[in-house]
Amino acid sequence: MVISAVAKSLSDWGRLSGAAPGLMGLGQPCRTCGTVHFSADHSSFMATMPQDPVDMVDDLVKMGLYKENQLRAADAVNAYELRKALFLKRVGRNDPQREKLILALCKQAGGLENAFAAAFGPQAGLFFADSVRNSGATRREFLRNMAVGAALVTLASCAGGGGPAEDAAEAPVDTSSLEKTDIRVGFIPITCATPIIMSQPLGFYEKYGFNAEVVKMPSWGAVRDSAIAGELDAYHMLAPMPIAMTLGLGSAAFGVKLASIENINGQAITIAERHKGNVNGPADFKGFVIGVPFPYSMHNLLIRYYLASGGLNPDTDVQIRPVPPPDSIAQLIAGDIDAMLMPDPFNQRAVYEGAGYIHMLTKELWDGHPCCAFAASDTWIDTNPNSFRALNKAIIEATGYAQDPANRLEIAAAISDRAFLNQPTEVVEAVLTGNFEDGQGNTLSVPDRIGFDPYPWQSFAKWISSQLVRWDLQGDGKAAQELNDDTFASVGESIFLTDLARELAQELGQNPPTETVRVEKLAFDTFDPADPGAYVKAQIEKFGF
C-alpha cells in the first residue's frame, strides 16, 4: 500500500540521513504506544527531521527513494483511505493529549477533511481536495501534501487500536458459520438508533461478516408491519414493542425477541414555541394535544407517568396522538400538536428551527430508562442462530463504542448523513455530547443526556408490563389478565434476552451486570421488580389512575 511505502520511506530517510542506530528499527516496540512500527522513539526521530516537512520529502527525492512518477502515484493516499483510517482507529485511553487531538479534529464542521486541516494547518486541506489534486498542484504543494500524509500515518499507527476494524494485533472474527450474510436492518432516523446506523459506516457489520443494508423506515407502524411481513431481517424497535407484538397488542401476535438495548435516556418533552412561559409543570398540559411516536413506546408510558403526577388523566384531560418522529416538527409548527415527548434529534431540531423549546429531559423522570432496542423475530433467530448471535454481538460492540464520550463527535459526523439521520451535524452533536441550547435561553451541559448501554434488565420489562396494565393498553383485556397474574416475570424472561446479552458483552471484554433485576428509581416513586402488581396498585391509589 502507499501508506506502507510512506512509512518505509521515512525509515529509509532516517537510515540514509544518519539517524541514530536502532532509532528507526522496524522491529522495536514504540515507547509511546507499545506497538511495532517505523519509529521506536517519536520525539528523538522527529528531532532529526528537517524543520520544513517539504524539505524532508524533497530529501527523499534527492536520495533517489522517490521518482517524480512515484510521487504522483502516491496520490492514491487519498481522502477516503485516511478518513477510513481515522474512523477505524481508536484513541489510546491512557493518552489524554491524543484524545484531545482526535476530538478537536472530529469537531470541525464539514467532515474529516476540515478536521485534519484544523490539526495540520490550512495547507493540509490541499492534501484532501480532489479539485486541487486533479487540477495539478505545484511541486512544492504536492511535497507538502506528502508530508501531511506521512504525519497522518504516524497518528493512525499510534492511535492504540480498539476500533471496529481489524487491527494488526486483533484476530479476525470467524464468520464461516453464518447462515445468512446479506441482511436488511430497519431503523427510524433518530439518535436512539445510533448503534444500528453507525455499524454500517464504521464497519461493525463488516467486521462480523455481514453485508448489511440499513433501511430507513417512515414510522414504527411501518417497522412492525415490515417485520411481520418478513421484509427485514432485524429491526430497531421501541423497547415495549417486542412485548406488545409477542402478546398481540395492536396487531396480530408475532414473536419478537429483544436482543439488546440500544440507548438509555435520550428523549425529551418539547413544547411549541407559542406556549413559552405558560407551562411550568404537568398540570399546565391540560387540553394539550401531545405527540408520541407510537402507542407501545416508552414515550407514551413516560408522558402518562408525568401527567398523572400532576393530577391529569392522560386519557381524558389531554389527547395523546401517535406522530412519526420525522413529522413531529412540522406538526408542532402547524399547531397540530402542542407538545411532544419524542426521541432526539427532533427535540433539539425543534430548538434549532425555533419551533419549540425543551421543557424536560426524560432522564429527569427516570435516569437510565430504556428507550430503543435491537430486535429480531423468533422465526429468523431459529433459522439463523449463528447469524443472529454475530449480529447481536456487532450491535453490542457498537453500543459500547457509542457509550464512550471520546467517540461521540466521530459518530455524530458518521450518522448525520442524508442516508441516515439527514440532520445538521451540530444538532446531532448537541444530543450526543449533551452540550446544547434548550430554547429557553439556557446553554446546558448534560453529558448523559443520552447513553448507550446494551444490557436488557428484566426490571425494564417488568416496569413496561406494569404500565401496560396501569393504562389498560392491552386491547381486549386478555393480556391484562395475563399480566395481572404471575406472568410479569415470564414475559420479560421469554422476550428480553438478558443472559445472551451478558454473555456476548463478556466475550467483548465489557463488564455487564451479573444481576438481572434491580430496583428502579423514578422521579415520583420507586419500582420494586419483585412485586409489579403492588406497584401498579400503589400508583393508582396515589394518583387516582
Side-chain angles (χ1 to χ4, degrees), residues 270-477:
T270 297
I271 300 174
E273 190 73 12
R274 61 185 175 276
H275 294 299
K276 184 177 286 186
N278 297 324
V279 179
N280 299 307
D284 297 324
F285 283 72
K286 188 169 185 178
F288 274 20
V289 178
I290 305 171
V292 297
F294 197 66
Y296 299 101
S297 66
M298 288 299 298
H299 311 77
N300 188 21
L301 301 182
L302 287 173
I303 193 65
R304 287 170 172 271
Y305 177 80
Y306 179 58
L307 294 172
S309 73
L312 297 187
N313 186 328
D315 292 313
T316 59
D317 292 326
V318 300
Q319 296 180 50
I320 299 177
R321 174 185 300 171
V323 175
D327 297 341
S328 59
I329 295 176
Q331 292 202 26
L332 203 66
I333 293 173
D336 295 333
I337 57 176
D338 298 286
M340 60 187 190
L341 199 162
M342 280 285 161
D344 273 309
F346 293 101
N347 302 290
Q348 198 62 45
R349 185 64 187 269
V351 174
Y352 182 84
E353 300 292 347
Y357 63 94
I358 295 173
H359 170 67
M360 174 185 290
L361 299 178
T362 53
K363 73 179 293 292
E364 299 174 53
L365 295 175
W366 178 4
D367 193 4
H369 72 80
C371 182
C372 289
F374 172 69
S377 72
D378 293 350
T379 301
W380 197 87
I381 294 171
D382 291 343
T383 304
N384 307 282
N386 295 327
S387 292
F388 170 67
R389 183 183 178 91
L391 186 56
N392 194 12
K393 193 170 184 178
I395 295 297
I396 290 174
E397 183 173 348
T399 305
Y401 190 80
Q403 177 64 3
D404 189 338
N407 300 325
R408 296 287 179 91
L409 291 170
E410 171 194 354
I411 292 169
I415 68 176
S416 298
D417 188 82
R418 182 179 181 85
F420 305 127
L421 297 187
N422 192 26
Q423 295 286 339
T425 302
E426 57 265 39
V427 170
V428 180
E429 285 182 356
V431 174
L432 294 186
T433 64
N435 298 317
F436 64 98
E437 307 289 331
D438 67 357
Q440 302 185 71
N442 303 309
T443 300
L444 303 177
S445 179
V446 185
D448 57 349
R449 172 175 176 170
I450 186 170
F452 300 96
D453 185 345
Y455 196 69
W457 287 93
Q458 289 293 315
S459 44
F460 289 168
K462 291 183 179 183
W463 188 88
I464 291 168
S465 298
S466 77
Q467 300 308 289
L468 295 178
V469 170
R470 179 185 184 186
W471 302 113
D472 193 22
L473 296 174
Q474 301 80 17
D476 59 9

